[in-house]
């Protein structure tokens, strides 16, 4: 089959590799119909995530048709499914508590050591996201092997186009969980750093959960425009001073809840950011954390900070004093995707949530490297790239 | 003088995995003495104690999740013959005998006289309310010098406790999910992983 493979910083290629096979009873093989490039994939593309190996197949946002099942799978050939990016067994203590991204068994035993050493505990396996999270082949390919297929994948009703449901695999539940973790109360003002897919879905979710105002922060005009479409007020951090603007817009109180949907590649010419960037290029240094620092400083006293954004390593100058003195709450983590799927699929079917607005580009799988380049270089206009193995070549 | 003493398991002693001081006595209670390198690991498995015990007690099952054990031949109710992988496609072998057992609770074994790698161990199963069973493995062995020493280093991946932890995780995966997680994509890749 053809697949998108990682070879190093800014080096991804389409190659021919062996097709996946059923290896365990609960496996299924999915023929990919749509797969997206994620902001998290850019962290891999930029070489920020350790334990990648040349030839690794990327991709953790995908859906397709079931073409083969193991004896323990509950799926049937021909069904269309969306697959969560977190690989969870459904049997362990954490799965029992619906903490799917903390599954004890989704990550192969030998690959758990790295996270056990770095984080104290191994986390669940993830598709296409380094060997620390399992070393599983991802879905930016023609086929993918899906373990525990009786637990993760959600079957899509007939006649619903891919574009409406693909984002159930990650970014929609991630934005939703981010808003849930912000513990929004009616009348609240919620600030969201980053108007990428995760930030934009956080904006939508925050309103659905009863926020009165949402203030979205980014520096890309087009992305801010999308946030506005959902009713958010905006701050362009290149035009205005974020902390001062947030304070003035909330009558000196600060936002009740702050959501960091930026992550370890925060942009912008901030002193802390530049020091972080130099250190991060060594892996053992610090993540770039400008957005989370700012969220903590801006948040009102006793407020909530929710951090869907991904960080991988250590942090310098974390404003622990502000965090303590103001009595803030922080909730974070990889998304427990499986927990939210049925409700979010319903919301899509009932027209309460639209995800299609996000897709700016559709490309054949063969042009995936181009897709990475575009998503990386032109973030303003390229909000989301969806790859479709069946599509004809498109002139750039 | 009061001996420094706490409630932490002897296997977590700061004195480099060797039994010493307060730990020594506790370890001596754990297993028959067959060497002085002590490792111990616990894992919580979301299954009933009796079920876990039964699978472990049938030693023929062990190679499914003990990565370096190629084969265990059950000779009779108490005795078994162990074949363990070594570098260069070689193996080390020894006989082991069950020295003590309490059905559903614990099994202790030791290698018999003349084993190249004298070793002994015990596995304990303890209920934890609502979360299943804590399974604790304790192994004492005598790593010899020279070639066999290297074999042992490979067998325990240099860091013996890491190998024990991996093996217990595989046991947990098998018992909780019915299979052992792999990131391999093809049967060929899976085969290479198992070598
Ligand atoms: N928790 C999870 O399970 C999970 C799942 C998916 C993605 N993520 C993470 O969420 C984050 C966002 O993902 P995405 O796909 O939306 O990424 P993205 O790269 O498309 O979007 C990030 C946005 O943040 C903006 N930004 C950069 N610096 C900023 C700053 N200083 N202040 C405000 N905005 C700034 C960028 O301009 C960009 O629009 C990433 O870190 C990603 O890894 C987490
Ligand atoms: Zn993603
Ligand atoms: Zn689990």
């Amino acid at each position: 089959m053809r697949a998108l493979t990682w070879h190093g910083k800014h080096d991804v290629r389409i190659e021919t590799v062996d097709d996946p096979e059923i290896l365990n009873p609960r496996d299924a093989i999915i023929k990919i119909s749509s797969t997206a490039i994620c902001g998290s994939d850019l962290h891999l593309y930029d070489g920020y995530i350790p334990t990648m190996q040349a030839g690794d197949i990327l991709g953790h946002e995908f859906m397709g048709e079931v073409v083969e099942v193991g004896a323990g799978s509950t799926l049937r050939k021909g069904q269309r499914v969306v697959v969560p990016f977190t690989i969870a067994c459904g049997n362990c203590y954490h799965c029992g508590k619906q903490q799917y991204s903390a599954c004890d068994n989704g990550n192969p035993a030998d690959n758990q050591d790295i996270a056990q050493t770095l984080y104290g505990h191994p986390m669940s396996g993830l598709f296409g996201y380094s060997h620390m999270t399992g070393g599983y082949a991802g879905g930016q390919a023609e086929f993918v092997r899906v373990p525990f297929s009786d637990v993760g994948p959600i079957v899509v009703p007939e006649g619903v186009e891919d574009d409406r449901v693909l984002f159930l695999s990650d970014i929609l539940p991630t934005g939703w969980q981010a808003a849930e973790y912000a513990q929004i109360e009616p009348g609240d003002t919620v600030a969201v750093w980053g108007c990428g897919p995760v930030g934009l879905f956080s904006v939508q979710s925050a309103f659905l959960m009863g926020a009165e105002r949402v203030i979205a922060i980014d520096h890309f005009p087009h992305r801010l425009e999308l946030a506005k479409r959902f009713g958010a007020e905006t701050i362009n951090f290149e035009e205005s001073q974020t902390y001062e603007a947030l304070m003035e817009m909330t009558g000196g109180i600060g936002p009740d809840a702050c959501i960091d949907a930026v992550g370890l590649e925060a942009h912008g010419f901030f002193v802390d950011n530049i020091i972080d960037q130099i250190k991060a290029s060594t892996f053992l240094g610090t993540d770039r954390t400008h957005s989370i620092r700012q969220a903590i400083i801006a948040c009102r006293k006793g407020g909530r900070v929710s951090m869907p954004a991904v960080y991988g390593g250590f942090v310098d100058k974390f404003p622990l004093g502000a965090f303590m003195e103001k009595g803030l709450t922080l909730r974070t983590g990889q998304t427990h995707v499986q927990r939210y799927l049925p409700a979010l699929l319903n919301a899509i079917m009932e027209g309460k949530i639209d995800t299609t607005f996000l897709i700016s580009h559709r490309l054949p799988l063969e042009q995936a490297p181009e897709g990475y380049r575009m998503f990386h270089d032109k973030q303003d206009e390229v909000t989301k790239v969806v790859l479709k193995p069946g599509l004809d070549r498109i002139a750039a | 003088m009061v001996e420094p003493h706490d409630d932490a398991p002897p296997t977590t002693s700061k004195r480099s995995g060797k039994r010493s001081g307060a730990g020594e006595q506790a370890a001596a209670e754990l297993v028959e003495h067959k060497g002085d390198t002590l490792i111990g690991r616990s894992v919580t498995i979301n299954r009933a104690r009796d079920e876990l015990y039964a699978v472990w007690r049938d030693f023929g099952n062990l190679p499914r999740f003990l990565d370096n054990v190629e084969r265990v031949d059950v000779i009779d109710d108490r005795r078994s013959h162990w074949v363990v992988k070594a570098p260069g496609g070689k193996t080390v072998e020894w006989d082991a005998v069950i020295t003590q057992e309490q059905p559903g609770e614990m099994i202790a074994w030791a290698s018999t006289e003349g084993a190249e790698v004298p070793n002994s161990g015990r596995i304990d199963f303890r209920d934890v309310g609502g979360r299943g069973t804590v399974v604790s493995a304790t192994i004492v062995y005598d790593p010899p010098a020279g070639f066999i020493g290297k074999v042992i280093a490979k067998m325990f991946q240099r860091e013996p406790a890491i190998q024990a932890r991996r093996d217990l995780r595989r046991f947990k995966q098998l018992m909780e999910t019915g299979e052992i997680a792999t990131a391999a994509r093809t049967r060929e890749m899976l085969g290479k992983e198992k070598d």
Side-chain angles (χ1 to χ4, degrees), chain A residues 2 10 68 135 167 178 181 184 208 212 215 237 258 262 274:
Chain A
R2 304 286 278 166
H10 299 167
E68 227 186 309
F167 301 141
Y181 281 7
I184 295 163
L208 284 171
E212 186 161 310
I215 303 173
F237 69 77
C258 292
V262 177
I274 291 166

Side-chain angles (χ1 to χ4, degrees), chain A residues 38-40 60-61 170-171:
Chain A
C38 178
S40 300
H60 60 268
E61 302 182 355
D170 174 358
I171 47 175

Side-chain angles (χ1 to χ4, degrees), chain A residues 37-43 60-61 85-86 101 129 170-171 174-175 177 192-200 217-220 223 235 237 242 260-268 270 273 290-291 294 307-311 332-337 375 379-380 382-384:
Chain A
I37 304 175
C38 178
S40 300
D41 291 331
L42 290 183
H43 302 330
H60 60 268
E61 302 182 355
F85 77 100
T86 41
S101 69
Y129 215 77
D170 174 358
I171 47 175
T174 296
Q177 181 179 279
V192 178
W193 274 255
C195 295
V198 172
L200 289 169
I217 306 153
D218 205 304
H219 61 141
F220 290 131
R223 291 185 167 209
I235 298 174
F237 69 77
T242 307
D260 173 13
V262 177
L264 55 79
E265 294 193 52
H267 310 165
F270 308 103
N273 217 1
H290 182 76
S291 48
Q294 209 167 46
M307 190 177 81
V310 164
Y311 295 95
T332 182
Q334 298 284 358
T335 306
H336 303 305
V337 179
F375 191 42
Q379 279 214 315
D380 186 19
V382 185
T383 45
K384 195 74 180 176

Side-chain angles (χ1 to χ4, degrees), chain A residues 17-21 23-26 89 91-93 104-105 107 109-110 112-113 116 134-136 145 148, chain B residues 44 46 67 130-131 162 165-166 169-170 172-173 176-188 190:
Chain A
V17 301
D18 292 332
D19 286 359
E21 296 169 314
L23 301 176
N24 270 331
R26 294 167 67 183
C89 77
N91 306 110
C92 71
Y93 172 79
D104 279 338
N105 298 316
N107 197 340
D110 294 6
Q112 293 184 17
D113 291 335
Q116 178 119 28
Y136 286 96
R145 171 183 161 252
F148 305 122
Chain B
T44 303
N46 196 7
D67 218 20
R131 293 194 182 200
I162 288 180
R165 191 167 70 194
R166 290 177 171 182
R169 281 182 194 140
R170 270 183 284 268
K172 175 182 165 76
Q173 289 179 340
E176 287 188 345
T177 76
E179 56 188 52
I180 292 169
T182 173
R185 199 172 69 249
T186 62
R187 278 184 282 277
E188 193 188 336
L190 183 62

Side-chain angles (χ1 to χ4, degrees), chain B residues 16-59:
Chain B
S16 68
K18 299 262 181 185
R19 291 182 294 141
S20 56
E24 186 157 339
Q25 199 185 341
E29 278 168 20
L30 282 176
V31 272
E32 262 182 41
H33 193 97
K34 288 281 182 191
D36 60 9
T37 298
L38 169 69
I39 59 173
R41 283 289 174 192
S42 297
V43 67
T44 303
I45 303 184
N46 196 7
R47 304 296 290 201
R49 189 157 53 81
D50 287 338
E51 192 185 337
L52 299 176
Y53 175 89
V55 171
W56 197 288
R57 179 63 180 81
D58 185 355
F59 284 179

